[in-house]
Amino acid sequence: MEKKRSDCPALPPGWRKEKVIRKSGLSAGKSDVYYYSPPTLWKRNPKKEKKISNDPSGKKFRSKPQLSRYLGNEVDLGCFDFRTGKMLPGKMQKNKQRLRHDLLGLAKGGKPDLNTALPIRQTASIFKQPVTKVTSHPSNKVKADLQRASEQPRQLFWERRLKGLQSSDVSEEVLRTMSLPKGLQGVGPDSSDDTLLSAIASALHMSSAPITGQTTVAAEKNPAIWLNTSQPLCKSFTVTDEQIREQELKVHQARRSLEDALMADGLARAAENTRELLEGKTA
């Protein structure tokens, strides 16, 4: 790979842009763009100055959202083009028009876009559709297969698109993933725990039907043919009463911990307000 680094005048002083050109493989000739923060950054603190970076090459950023979260309100990246490293006024104008259109729609009683659709490829139907032929001939028969008409093609193993995606907090620390019970076993290619967790969570989110897993043995032998697309990529499982009671106990403990935390936070705020009032009267 060939790497080229240069200063980025659109960002604060010290920021650099790196362009990595791929030399081999199917993507030869394509390039990836990264940005590096200044080698040493200092963050102001009321009590002391805290050093937040010791990396001599700076912190590496792979996407515009990651860069925007890091810079915060220091730089407006609304018209910043990540690949070129330049501010594009035309892009800012489009963003303003889109924002004005969204605000106007909300003012007229519209609803915000809360689309939670999963990344399933949408394809045109390749199946035969029912055709109704209407003529004046009395011997004509109208045939309609409503069941076939309601069927829609679905992409198999689309859950693999969620592989490698991880959740992180505001400090970009990766959150710990959930641990699945030992009784849950994946079906299909690359049936890792992360893929299985994404498949089950997606099924619970999108479907109101019971989640039973793949109930046929044939799906385990040849999932590309016998896979039930309405069920997650896991073998059939049974939830016992003991497991239900364990989950109820965990929920009860979590709610109690949240209640204690809220109570402690309220008492701390009340004590802080009282202290500020006393200091104000003393002054």
Side-chain angles (χ1 to χ4, degrees):
M1 292 186 296
E2 180 182 354
K3 298 182 180 180
K4 297 181 181 179
R5 285 196 182 185
S6 60
D7 295 334
C8 183
L11 297 178
W15 283 81
R16 291 165 297 164
K17 170 189 171 185
E18 181 184 59
K19 185 176 182 181
V20 180
I21 303 176
R22 304 174 187 177
K23 293 293 186 180
S24 60
L26 298 176
S27 59
K30 295 184 179 181
S31 60
D32 299 316
V33 177
Y34 308 102
Y35 288 87
Y36 289 86
S37 63
T40 304
L41 291 179
W42 296 81
K43 185 176 181 180
R44 294 286 180 180
N45 192 291
K47 298 182 179 179
K48 60 180 180 178
E49 288 186 344
K50 182 180 178 183
K51 196 173 183 180
I52 63 174
S53 176
N54 284 323
D55 191 353
S57 61
K59 189 172 182 179
K60 186 176 182 180
F61 298 89
R62 304 173 180 271
S63 64
K64 184 176 178 180
Q66 186 181 13
L67 187 65
S68 178
R69 287 195 302 268
Y70 186 83
L71 291 174
N73 297 327
E74 183 179 356
V75 180
D76 185 8
L77 300 179
C79 59
F80 179 73
D81 186 72
F82 191 82
R83 292 202 61 84
T84 61
K86 299 179 181 180
M87 294 291 184
L88 303 180
K91 194 172 184 180
M92 173 63 75
Q93 187 67 22
K94 292 181 180 179
N95 292 338
K96 288 183 178 180
Q97 293 178 357
R98 187 182 301 109
L99 179 61
R100 190 181 302 112
H101 181 269
D102 294 341
L103 293 177
L104 182 61
L106 292 176
K108 292 182 178 179
K111 297 181 179 180
D113 184 12
L114 301 177
N115 184 20
T116 57
L118 296 171
I120 306 176
R121 185 190 305 165
Q122 303 295 329
T123 58
S125 177
I126 59 175
F127 303 112
K128 295 180 179 180
Q129 299 297 322
V131 177
T132 302
K133 184 178 180 181
V134 180
T135 64
S136 59
H137 199 281
S139 62
N140 282 342
K141 294 182 180 180
V142 178
K143 296 182 179 180
D145 188 355
L146 298 178
Q147 183 177 2
R148 177 175 294 180
S150 63
E151 292 181 356
Q152 296 294 333
R154 298 191 62 179
Q155 183 184 10
L156 293 179
F157 312 123
W158 64 267
E159 292 87 351
R160 296 183 60 186
R161 293 191 178 189
L162 304 176
K163 181 181 179 181
L165 298 181
Q166 295 178 327
S167 302
S168 59
D169 54 15
V170 293
S171 61
E172 299 183 5
E173 292 291 335
V174 178
L175 300 178
R176 183 173 59 89
T177 58
M178 297 175 58
S179 57
L180 295 174
K182 296 181 180 180
L184 290 177
Q185 299 180 2
V187 174
D190 192 18
S191 56
S192 60
D193 291 343
D194 294 339
T195 305
L196 179 57
L197 177 60
S198 301
I200 295 176
S202 302
L204 292 172
H205 174 67
M206 297 298 295
S207 176
S208 59
I211 305 302
T212 59
Q214 304 297 326
T215 56
T216 61
V217 182
E220 302 178 14
K221 298 180 180 179
N222 196 342
I225 298 178
W226 302 106
L227 187 70
N228 183 2
T229 56
S230 62
Q231 293 293 329
L233 302 177
C234 63
K235 297 181 181 180
S236 179
F237 59 90
T238 303
V239 180
T240 62
D241 293 338
E242 182 180 358
Q243 292 174 335
I244 295 177
R245 286 192 293 269
E246 290 178 357
Q247 292 300 319
E248 290 177 345
L249 179 60
K250 290 181 180 180
V251 172
H252 178 73
Q253 293 175 350
R255 289 178 176 175
R256 178 60 61 86
S257 300
L258 178 59
E259 182 181 358
D260 295 341
L262 293 175
M263 181 66 70
D265 181 69
L267 294 176
R269 289 177 182 272
E272 184 178 357
N273 294 334
T274 304
R275 185 172 60 255
E276 291 179 354
L277 289 175
L278 294 176
E279 292 177 354
K281 292 180 179 180
T282 305

